[in-house]
Amino acid sequence: MTTSSHRVPLTARPKDLAMFVYFVSHIPTTILMDAVPLYPSFMKTLIQPLLDFQVWYVENFRDPFMADRELIWFNTFLHLEGLVQLPIFFYAAWALYNNKRSIALWICVYAAHVTTTVLPCLTTLALGKPSDFPFEISDNQKTFLLSVYSPFFFFPLWMLVECFGRVRSHEGISSKKTK
């Protein structure tokens, strides 16, 4: 990212464009899927189609995490997504669009958080025993779910490495200015 006030278009910054698309695509996903269990009960009538979609999703894709509301650790992750990550999605999309260098640190924080919350899901799917799941999941279903969850580990891991390099690069520039 540049330090000039001139905004370089996203199309000229392919890494930023990839991150921008990632953050923008997470906004509706979080609001319409992941945060649905967090909505207050008085909204049940309004969100019933979203609840119905979740039932359909669980029945068709056998996602044990979305199915089991007793998984306190996973529900904690959903709360963090709705309360912490969702505002970051909006801010990151805006900052990437406007070529704000300071977003690199926020992306590092976000990416470190996300990789550590998705890893238990991947590990549970890969190594879990049948008793770890609320229903039977075939090996093919586990493989499918691993393919669904894995990008949400590897892409943030890439963002962490990429943006950490940007933060370190900016540190070098700042320390040279102060000398």
Side-chain angles (χ1 to χ4, degrees), residues 37 58 63-79 131-135:
V58 168
D63 186 330
F65 309 117
M66 294 304 284
D68 189 351
R69 293 288 153 226
E70 301 301 315
L71 292 173
I72 295 170
W73 63 270
F74 186 74
N75 284 309
T76 302
F77 293 166
L78 292 180
H79 278 80
S131 61
D132 294 330
F133 304 108
F135 40 68

PDB file of all heavy atoms in Angstrom, residues 37 58 63-79 131-135:
ATOM      1  N   PRO A  37     -27.991 -17.458  14.979  1.00  0.00           N
ATOM      2  CA  PRO A  37     -28.315 -17.952  16.331  1.00  0.00           C
ATOM      3  C   PRO A  37     -28.164 -16.899  17.423  1.00  0.00           C
ATOM      4  O   PRO A  37     -28.661 -17.078  18.528  1.00  0.00           O
ATOM      5  CB  PRO A  37     -27.309 -19.084  16.555  1.00  0.00           C
ATOM      6  CG  PRO A  37     -26.833 -19.465  15.207  1.00  0.00           C
ATOM      7  CD  PRO A  37     -26.911 -18.229  14.367  1.00  0.00           C
ATOM      8  N   VAL A  58     -27.717 -27.799   7.460  1.00  0.00           N
ATOM      9  CA  VAL A  58     -27.244 -28.876   8.335  1.00  0.00           C
ATOM     10  C   VAL A  58     -27.703 -30.233   7.805  1.00  0.00           C
ATOM     11  O   VAL A  58     -26.918 -31.186   7.762  1.00  0.00           O
ATOM     12  CB  VAL A  58     -27.719 -28.655   9.786  1.00  0.00           C
ATOM     13  CG1 VAL A  58     -27.495 -29.899  10.643  1.00  0.00           C
ATOM     14  CG2 VAL A  58     -27.015 -27.439  10.388  1.00  0.00           C
ATOM     15  N   ASP A  63     -23.089 -30.393   8.760  1.00  0.00           N
ATOM     16  CA  ASP A  63     -22.120 -29.582   9.493  1.00  0.00           C
ATOM     17  C   ASP A  63     -22.412 -29.708  10.988  1.00  0.00           C
ATOM     18  O   ASP A  63     -23.406 -29.166  11.484  1.00  0.00           O
ATOM     19  CB  ASP A  63     -22.222 -28.125   9.043  1.00  0.00           C
ATOM     20  CG  ASP A  63     -21.149 -27.235   9.650  1.00  0.00           C
ATOM     21  OD1 ASP A  63     -20.697 -27.514  10.777  1.00  0.00           O
ATOM     22  OD2 ASP A  63     -20.775 -26.254   8.989  1.00  0.00           O
ATOM     23  N   PRO A  64     -21.577 -30.429  11.726  1.00  0.00           N
ATOM     24  CA  PRO A  64     -21.869 -30.676  13.141  1.00  0.00           C
ATOM     25  C   PRO A  64     -21.775 -29.426  14.006  1.00  0.00           C
ATOM     26  O   PRO A  64     -22.422 -29.342  15.047  1.00  0.00           O
ATOM     27  CB  PRO A  64     -20.801 -31.693  13.555  1.00  0.00           C
ATOM     28  CG  PRO A  64     -19.656 -31.423  12.639  1.00  0.00           C
ATOM     29  CD  PRO A  64     -20.294 -31.007  11.328  1.00  0.00           C
ATOM     30  N   PHE A  65     -20.987 -28.457  13.565  1.00  0.00           N
ATOM     31  CA  PHE A  65     -20.812 -27.252  14.372  1.00  0.00           C
ATOM     32  C   PHE A  65     -22.063 -26.374  14.311  1.00  0.00           C
ATOM     33  O   PHE A  65     -22.505 -25.848  15.331  1.00  0.00           O
ATOM     34  CB  PHE A  65     -19.576 -26.474  13.916  1.00  0.00           C
ATOM     35  CG  PHE A  65     -18.357 -27.337  13.827  1.00  0.00           C
ATOM     36  CD1 PHE A  65     -17.715 -27.538  12.619  1.00  0.00           C
ATOM     37  CD2 PHE A  65     -17.864 -27.978  14.946  1.00  0.00           C
ATOM     38  CE1 PHE A  65     -16.597 -28.342  12.524  1.00  0.00           C
ATOM     39  CE2 PHE A  65     -16.743 -28.795  14.872  1.00  0.00           C
ATOM     40  CZ  PHE A  65     -16.111 -28.978  13.656  1.00  0.00           C
ATOM     41  N   MET A  66     -22.609 -26.224  13.123  1.00  0.00           N
ATOM     42  CA  MET A  66     -23.827 -25.418  12.987  1.00  0.00           C
ATOM     43  C   MET A  66     -25.038 -26.156  13.555  1.00  0.00           C
ATOM     44  O   MET A  66     -26.034 -25.526  13.897  1.00  0.00           O
ATOM     45  CB  MET A  66     -24.059 -25.064  11.519  1.00  0.00           C
ATOM     46  CG  MET A  66     -22.997 -24.147  10.932  1.00  0.00           C
ATOM     47  SD  MET A  66     -22.769 -22.590  11.820  1.00  0.00           S
ATOM     48  CE  MET A  66     -24.206 -21.690  11.284  1.00  0.00           C
ATOM     49  N   ALA A  67     -24.951 -27.463  13.678  1.00  0.00           N
ATOM     50  CA  ALA A  67     -26.081 -28.251  14.160  1.00  0.00           C
ATOM     51  C   ALA A  67     -26.166 -28.278  15.678  1.00  0.00           C
ATOM     52  O   ALA A  67     -27.260 -28.321  16.236  1.00  0.00           O
ATOM     53  CB  ALA A  67     -25.977 -29.687  13.644  1.00  0.00           C
ATOM     54  N   ASP A  68     -25.022 -28.257  16.327  1.00  0.00           N
ATOM     55  CA  ASP A  68     -24.991 -28.504  17.769  1.00  0.00           C
ATOM     56  C   ASP A  68     -24.841 -27.190  18.540  1.00  0.00           C
ATOM     57  O   ASP A  68     -23.748 -26.669  18.700  1.00  0.00           O
ATOM     58  CB  ASP A  68     -23.846 -29.456  18.102  1.00  0.00           C
ATOM     59  CG  ASP A  68     -23.887 -29.940  19.540  1.00  0.00           C
ATOM     60  OD1 ASP A  68     -24.702 -29.423  20.334  1.00  0.00           O
ATOM     61  OD2 ASP A  68     -23.095 -30.837  19.870  1.00  0.00           O
ATOM     62  N   ARG A  69     -25.949 -26.677  19.016  1.00  0.00           N
ATOM     63  CA  ARG A  69     -25.950 -25.425  19.783  1.00  0.00           C
ATOM     64  C   ARG A  69     -25.406 -25.617  21.199  1.00  0.00           C
ATOM     65  O   ARG A  69     -25.298 -24.671  21.954  1.00  0.00           O
ATOM     66  CB  ARG A  69     -27.357 -24.821  19.834  1.00  0.00           C
ATOM     67  CG  ARG A  69     -27.823 -24.362  18.487  1.00  0.00           C
ATOM     68  CD  ARG A  69     -27.067 -23.113  18.085  1.00  0.00           C
ATOM     69  NE  ARG A  69     -26.998 -23.026  16.639  1.00  0.00           N
ATOM     70  CZ  ARG A  69     -25.908 -22.744  15.970  1.00  0.00           C
ATOM     71  NH1 ARG A  69     -24.799 -22.516  16.585  1.00  0.00           N
ATOM     72  NH2 ARG A  69     -25.906 -22.685  14.671  1.00  0.00           N
ATOM     73  N   GLU A  70     -25.067 -26.848  21.562  1.00  0.00           N
ATOM     74  CA  GLU A  70     -24.486 -27.121  22.886  1.00  0.00           C
ATOM     75  C   GLU A  70     -22.965 -26.976  22.877  1.00  0.00           C
ATOM     76  O   GLU A  70     -22.337 -27.053  23.921  1.00  0.00           O
ATOM     77  CB  GLU A  70     -24.866 -28.539  23.336  1.00  0.00           C
ATOM     78  CG  GLU A  70     -26.373 -28.778  23.424  1.00  0.00           C
ATOM     79  CD  GLU A  70     -27.062 -27.836  24.392  1.00  0.00           C
ATOM     80  OE1 GLU A  70     -26.539 -27.645  25.514  1.00  0.00           O
ATOM     81  OE2 GLU A  70     -28.113 -27.283  24.022  1.00  0.00           O
ATOM     82  N   LEU A  71     -22.379 -26.783  21.700  1.00  0.00           N
ATOM     83  CA  LEU A  71     -20.927 -26.609  21.592  1.00  0.00           C
ATOM     84  C   LEU A  71     -20.565 -25.189  22.023  1.00  0.00           C
ATOM     85  O   LEU A  71     -20.554 -24.254  21.219  1.00  0.00           O
ATOM     86  CB  LEU A  71     -20.450 -26.857  20.161  1.00  0.00           C
ATOM     87  CG  LEU A  71     -20.536 -28.281  19.638  1.00  0.00           C
ATOM     88  CD1 LEU A  71     -20.181 -28.325  18.161  1.00  0.00           C
ATOM     89  CD2 LEU A  71     -19.615 -29.195  20.431  1.00  0.00           C
ATOM     90  N   ILE A  72     -20.287 -25.038  23.288  1.00  0.00           N
ATOM     91  CA  ILE A  72     -20.019 -23.706  23.836  1.00  0.00           C
ATOM     92  C   ILE A  72     -18.836 -23.056  23.125  1.00  0.00           C
ATOM     93  O   ILE A  72     -18.879 -21.863  22.792  1.00  0.00           O
ATOM     94  CB  ILE A  72     -19.801 -23.778  25.366  1.00  0.00           C
ATOM     95  CG1 ILE A  72     -21.107 -24.216  26.038  1.00  0.00           C
ATOM     96  CG2 ILE A  72     -19.316 -22.447  25.912  1.00  0.00           C
ATOM     97  CD1 ILE A  72     -20.969 -24.547  27.499  1.00  0.00           C
ATOM     98  N   TRP A  73     -17.787 -23.816  22.860  1.00  0.00           N
ATOM     99  CA  TRP A  73     -16.607 -23.243  22.207  1.00  0.00           C
ATOM    100  C   TRP A  73     -16.957 -22.707  20.823  1.00  0.00           C
ATOM    101  O   TRP A  73     -16.500 -21.619  20.462  1.00  0.00           O
ATOM    102  CB  TRP A  73     -15.450 -24.246  22.144  1.00  0.00           C
ATOM    103  CG  TRP A  73     -15.716 -25.483  21.323  1.00  0.00           C
ATOM    104  CD1 TRP A  73     -16.259 -26.653  21.775  1.00  0.00           C
ATOM    105  CD2 TRP A  73     -15.471 -25.667  19.933  1.00  0.00           C
ATOM    106  NE1 TRP A  73     -16.362 -27.554  20.731  1.00  0.00           N
ATOM    107  CE2 TRP A  73     -15.875 -26.979  19.589  1.00  0.00           C
ATOM    108  CE3 TRP A  73     -14.937 -24.862  18.938  1.00  0.00           C
ATOM    109  CZ2 TRP A  73     -15.770 -27.491  18.303  1.00  0.00           C
ATOM    110  CZ3 TRP A  73     -14.826 -25.380  17.644  1.00  0.00           C
ATOM    111  CH2 TRP A  73     -15.243 -26.686  17.352  1.00  0.00           C
ATOM    112  N   PHE A  74     -17.779 -23.425  20.060  1.00  0.00           N
ATOM    113  CA  PHE A  74     -18.126 -22.964  18.724  1.00  0.00           C
ATOM    114  C   PHE A  74     -19.086 -21.773  18.798  1.00  0.00           C
ATOM    115  O   PHE A  74     -18.945 -20.813  18.026  1.00  0.00           O
ATOM    116  CB  PHE A  74     -18.749 -24.091  17.891  1.00  0.00           C
ATOM    117  CG  PHE A  74     -18.984 -23.698  16.462  1.00  0.00           C
ATOM    118  CD1 PHE A  74     -17.919 -23.600  15.582  1.00  0.00           C
ATOM    119  CD2 PHE A  74     -20.251 -23.403  15.993  1.00  0.00           C
ATOM    120  CE1 PHE A  74     -18.115 -23.220  14.260  1.00  0.00           C
ATOM    121  CE2 PHE A  74     -20.465 -23.025  14.668  1.00  0.00           C
ATOM    122  CZ  PHE A  74     -19.388 -22.936  13.804  1.00  0.00           C
ATOM    123  N   ASN A  75     -20.018 -21.808  19.717  1.00  0.00           N
ATOM    124  CA  ASN A  75     -20.923 -20.673  19.873  1.00  0.00           C
ATOM    125  C   ASN A  75     -20.173 -19.415  20.316  1.00  0.00           C
ATOM    126  O   ASN A  75     -20.545 -18.307  19.943  1.00  0.00           O
ATOM    127  CB  ASN A  75     -22.057 -21.022  20.839  1.00  0.00           C
ATOM    128  CG  ASN A  75     -23.072 -21.916  20.176  1.00  0.00           C
ATOM    129  OD1 ASN A  75     -23.565 -21.618  19.094  1.00  0.00           O
ATOM    130  ND2 ASN A  75     -23.374 -23.041  20.800  1.00  0.00           N
ATOM    131  N   THR A  76     -19.115 -19.608  21.082  1.00  0.00           N
ATOM    132  CA  THR A  76     -18.261 -18.471  21.447  1.00  0.00           C
ATOM    133  C   THR A  76     -17.623 -17.881  20.190  1.00  0.00           C
ATOM    134  O   THR A  76     -17.574 -16.657  20.022  1.00  0.00           O
ATOM    135  CB  THR A  76     -17.169 -18.910  22.441  1.00  0.00           C
ATOM    136  OG1 THR A  76     -17.804 -19.459  23.601  1.00  0.00           O
ATOM    137  CG2 THR A  76     -16.275 -17.746  22.842  1.00  0.00           C
ATOM    138  N   PHE A  77     -17.177 -18.753  19.281  1.00  0.00           N
ATOM    139  CA  PHE A  77     -16.603 -18.275  18.020  1.00  0.00           C
ATOM    140  C   PHE A  77     -17.639 -17.504  17.203  1.00  0.00           C
ATOM    141  O   PHE A  77     -17.322 -16.493  16.579  1.00  0.00           O
ATOM    142  CB  PHE A  77     -16.061 -19.438  17.186  1.00  0.00           C
ATOM    143  CG  PHE A  77     -14.867 -20.146  17.790  1.00  0.00           C
ATOM    144  CD1 PHE A  77     -14.473 -21.378  17.299  1.00  0.00           C
ATOM    145  CD2 PHE A  77     -14.130 -19.600  18.833  1.00  0.00           C
ATOM    146  CE1 PHE A  77     -13.377 -22.045  17.828  1.00  0.00           C
ATOM    147  CE2 PHE A  77     -13.040 -20.259  19.373  1.00  0.00           C
ATOM    148  CZ  PHE A  77     -12.662 -21.484  18.859  1.00  0.00           C
ATOM    149  N   LEU A  78     -18.893 -17.985  17.197  1.00  0.00           N
ATOM    150  CA  LEU A  78     -19.943 -17.276  16.461  1.00  0.00           C
ATOM    151  C   LEU A  78     -20.197 -15.896  17.064  1.00  0.00           C
ATOM    152  O   LEU A  78     -20.410 -14.921  16.337  1.00  0.00           O
ATOM    153  CB  LEU A  78     -21.236 -18.088  16.438  1.00  0.00           C
ATOM    154  CG  LEU A  78     -21.213 -19.383  15.626  1.00  0.00           C
ATOM    155  CD1 LEU A  78     -22.569 -20.081  15.702  1.00  0.00           C
ATOM    156  CD2 LEU A  78     -20.822 -19.134  14.185  1.00  0.00           C
ATOM    157  N   HIS A  79     -20.185 -15.808  18.393  1.00  0.00           N
ATOM    158  CA  HIS A  79     -20.343 -14.505  19.044  1.00  0.00           C
ATOM    159  C   HIS A  79     -19.200 -13.571  18.650  1.00  0.00           C
ATOM    160  O   HIS A  79     -19.433 -12.390  18.363  1.00  0.00           O
ATOM    161  CB  HIS A  79     -20.412 -14.656  20.565  1.00  0.00           C
ATOM    162  CG  HIS A  79     -21.764 -15.040  21.072  1.00  0.00           C
ATOM    163  ND1 HIS A  79     -22.231 -16.326  21.047  1.00  0.00           N
ATOM    164  CD2 HIS A  79     -22.750 -14.287  21.597  1.00  0.00           C
ATOM    165  CE1 HIS A  79     -23.443 -16.357  21.549  1.00  0.00           C
ATOM    166  NE2 HIS A  79     -23.794 -15.130  21.888  1.00  0.00           N
ATOM    167  N   SER A 131     -18.175 -40.105  18.425  1.00  0.00           N
ATOM    168  CA  SER A 131     -18.839 -39.549  19.615  1.00  0.00           C
ATOM    169  C   SER A 131     -18.655 -38.039  19.737  1.00  0.00           C
ATOM    170  O   SER A 131     -19.335 -37.392  20.539  1.00  0.00           O
ATOM    171  CB  SER A 131     -18.321 -40.241  20.880  1.00  0.00           C
ATOM    172  OG  SER A 131     -16.927 -40.019  21.021  1.00  0.00           O
ATOM    173  N   ASP A 132     -17.745 -37.452  18.947  1.00  0.00           N
ATOM    174  CA  ASP A 132     -17.516 -36.003  18.982  1.00  0.00           C
ATOM    175  C   ASP A 132     -18.566 -35.222  18.197  1.00  0.00           C
ATOM    176  O   ASP A 132     -18.585 -33.997  18.242  1.00  0.00           O
ATOM    177  CB  ASP A 132     -16.130 -35.660  18.412  1.00  0.00           C
ATOM    178  CG  ASP A 132     -14.996 -36.184  19.277  1.00  0.00           C
ATOM    179  OD1 ASP A 132     -15.184 -36.291  20.499  1.00  0.00           O
ATOM    180  OD2 ASP A 132     -13.919 -36.481  18.710  1.00  0.00           O
ATOM    181  N   PHE A 133     -19.412 -35.937  17.459  1.00  0.00           N
ATOM    182  CA  PHE A 133     -20.372 -35.290  16.571  1.00  0.00           C
ATOM    183  C   PHE A 133     -21.804 -35.594  17.008  1.00  0.00           C
ATOM    184  O   PHE A 133     -22.072 -36.665  17.557  1.00  0.00           O
ATOM    185  CB  PHE A 133     -20.149 -35.764  15.127  1.00  0.00           C
ATOM    186  CG  PHE A 133     -18.747 -35.524  14.634  1.00  0.00           C
ATOM    187  CD1 PHE A 133     -17.873 -36.578  14.454  1.00  0.00           C
ATOM    188  CD2 PHE A 133     -18.291 -34.239  14.379  1.00  0.00           C
ATOM    189  CE1 PHE A 133     -16.574 -36.366  14.022  1.00  0.00           C
ATOM    190  CE2 PHE A 133     -16.991 -34.015  13.944  1.00  0.00           C
ATOM    191  CZ  PHE A 133     -16.130 -35.082  13.763  1.00  0.00           C
ATOM    192  N   PRO A 134     -22.731 -34.671  16.746  1.00  0.00           N
ATOM    193  CA  PRO A 134     -24.122 -34.876  17.170  1.00  0.00           C
ATOM    194  C   PRO A 134     -24.870 -35.914  16.318  1.00  0.00           C
ATOM    195  O   PRO A 134     -25.960 -36.331  16.682  1.00  0.00           O
ATOM    196  CB  PRO A 134     -24.753 -33.491  17.025  1.00  0.00           C
ATOM    197  CG  PRO A 134     -23.934 -32.823  15.971  1.00  0.00           C
ATOM    198  CD  PRO A 134     -22.540 -33.364  16.127  1.00  0.00           C
ATOM    199  N   PHE A 135     -24.275 -36.298  15.184  1.00  0.00           N
ATOM    200  CA  PHE A 135     -24.879 -37.294  14.302  1.00  0.00           C
ATOM    201  C   PHE A 135     -23.763 -37.943  13.492  1.00  0.00           C
ATOM    202  O   PHE A 135     -22.626 -37.474  13.487  1.00  0.00           O
ATOM    203  CB  PHE A 135     -25.929 -36.679  13.377  1.00  0.00           C
ATOM    204  CG  PHE A 135     -25.564 -35.333  12.815  1.00  0.00           C
ATOM    205  CD1 PHE A 135     -24.523 -35.182  11.906  1.00  0.00           C
ATOM    206  CD2 PHE A 135     -26.259 -34.196  13.214  1.00  0.00           C
ATOM    207  CE1 PHE A 135     -24.180 -33.941  11.398  1.00  0.00           C
ATOM    208  CE2 PHE A 135     -25.920 -32.949  12.704  1.00  0.00           C
ATOM    209  CZ  PHE A 135     -24.884 -32.818  11.793  1.00  0.00           C
TER     210      PHE A 135
END
